[in-house]
Amino acid sequence: MNLGKLNSKPIGVFDSGVGGISVLRELVKIMPCEDFIYFGDSANAPYGTKTTEEVRELTIAKVEDFIKIPVKGCVIACNSATSAAVRVLREMYPDLPLVGIEPALKPAATYKRNSRVLVLATPMTIKEDKFRFLFERFEDIATIYKLPCPGLMEYVEEGKADSAEVKNFLEGLLMPYRDGSIDAVVLGCTHYPFVRSTISGILGPGIRIFDGSEGTAREMRRRLDVAGLLTDRTTKGNVTFENSEKSEDKIELCKQLLYSEVSE
Ligand code: DGL
């Protein structure tokens, strides 16, 4: 393989929809000269309420499409798809720099003693082995509450991340945790950083919020560096958007989310 050539190829970023933009944003921030192809599978979303087999199949198919382009590395910017497929993809393509995302439980469980952490994620992420193993690693040092949030990603997919509807939905969901029983929240789905300020507004300023997008981006850069695949270019790279739902609105929403500021 001609590495000199491969390092000028784009990095593929994949999610069930527009949520992975929260990871893409971090990737672009730390690797501004790279090219990225962002693929959202909005036509098949949500993934988090599908079976593991369905999501595994969709994820493998997309990574194989990326490999054909080719991309020089691949980010599965979806916690649900990562739980369903990352292990098998690593076995299938051991040479591909491939990075997934998982709920940022480690920093949330260790930032203080006896941390009380609420993990928000899709039903799939919460029930999969990957999260069970992560939970078991930290259950002795932190109190961890798991809250599956079916229905939440849809607001972000529909461009309603800042709406009164999502605020209403989140108020109902988070009501039991407004009594001082938690210290931290983990955003365990890549769609959720786009409703971060609403979550923070409901739970109050004392609650720390963690998400795994920055760590995931750093891991991709590290993997490309180790493989000698970082670009030599010093000018700004391009971001190309694709979506299985063939609508200009979706692409517009992706662009809007990429350039939006998310505050705590
Ligand atoms: N963005 C995806 C994740 O991180 C899930 C949303 C979905 O249910 O498709 O899990």
Side-chain angles (χ1 to χ4, degrees):
M1 194 182 294
N2 182 346
L3 285 188
K5 234 174 153 199
L6 193 57
N7 80 350
S8 66
K9 299 295 177 201
I11 299 166
V13 183
F14 167 69
D15 178 46
S16 62
V18 302
I21 301 283
S22 59
V23 181
L24 177 65
R25 191 169 42 196
E26 299 301 325
L27 287 158
V28 170
K29 220 184 269 175
I30 64 167
M31 292 183 278
C33 301
E34 298 290 349
D35 289 336
F36 294 92
I37 301 181
Y38 181 86
F39 181 86
D41 193 11
S42 298
N44 290 304
Y47 276 15
T49 47
K50 285 188 160 46
T51 66
T52 307
E53 291 68 32
E54 280 176 292
V55 172
R56 185 176 300 137
E57 215 170 283
L58 289 164
T59 307
I60 291 173
K62 191 59 229 173
V63 169
E64 291 186 330
D65 285 349
F66 273 154
I67 290 171
K68 277 182 216 138
I69 290 176
V71 296
K72 62 181 176 184
C74 188
V75 180
I76 304 179
C78 175
N79 294 262
S80 311
T82 299
S83 348
V86 79
R87 200 168 48 84
V88 57
L89 276 164
R90 289 214 172 98
E91 280 163 20
M92 291 166 76
Y93 301 104
D95 297 332
L96 175 73
L98 175 75
V99 174
I101 186 165
E102 65 177 17
L105 186 53
K106 183 179 177 184
T110 55
Y111 86 99
K112 63 177 273 197
R113 280 174 71 87
N114 304 321
S115 176
R116 297 164 304 165
V117 185
L118 176 66
V119 180
L120 308 180
T122 67
M124 166 170 294
T125 297
I126 284 181
K127 79 170 168 27
E128 277 301 311
D129 281 352
K130 196 169 193 325
F131 183 71
R132 192 165 52 76
F133 296 144
L134 191 63
F135 181 92
E136 286 168 359
R137 267 178 67 198
F138 297 104
E139 64 177 338
D140 291 340
I141 61 157
T143 304
I144 308 161
Y145 303 100
K146 300 175 261 188
L147 183 60
C149 309
L152 179 52
M153 67 80 82
E154 285 83 343
Y155 291 102
V156 181
E157 277 297 303
E158 288 162 17
K160 294 180 179 165
D162 290 320
S163 65
E165 286 155 88
V166 79
K167 186 162 180 263
N168 225 5
F169 178 92
L170 283 165
E171 274 172 350
L173 200 68
L174 299 172
M175 185 63 81
Y177 305 96
R178 293 174 76 175
D179 58 357
S181 58
I182 55 166
D183 304 302
V185 170
V186 173
L187 304 177
C189 166
T190 54
H191 284 72
Y192 302 170
F194 296 109
V195 293
R196 181 183 181 124
S197 55
T198 307
I199 292 173
S200 175
I202 293 169
L203 293 173
I207 305 291
R208 292 276 300 260
I209 300 187
F210 293 86
D211 86 81
S213 49
E214 202 189 317
T216 301
R218 271 192 270 112
E219 179 58 9
M220 183 79 259
R221 184 177 58 186
R222 190 191 69 78
R223 293 285 305 276
L224 292 173
D225 193 16
V226 167
L229 288 175
L230 288 169
T231 184
D232 303 328
R233 206 176 41 202
T234 53
T235 52
K236 202 166 174 294
N238 291 310
V239 180
T240 309
F241 294 98
E242 293 173 7
N243 197 290
S244 54
E245 200 177 276
K246 303 270 171 241
S247 95
E248 260 317 299
D249 290 356
K250 264 303 178 225
I251 303 294
E252 262 321 297
L253 177 59
C254 285
K255 290 181 186 165
Q256 248 178 48
L257 292 174
L258 180 60
Y259 303 111
S260 71
E261 274 307 314
V262 174
S263 53
E264 205 165 303

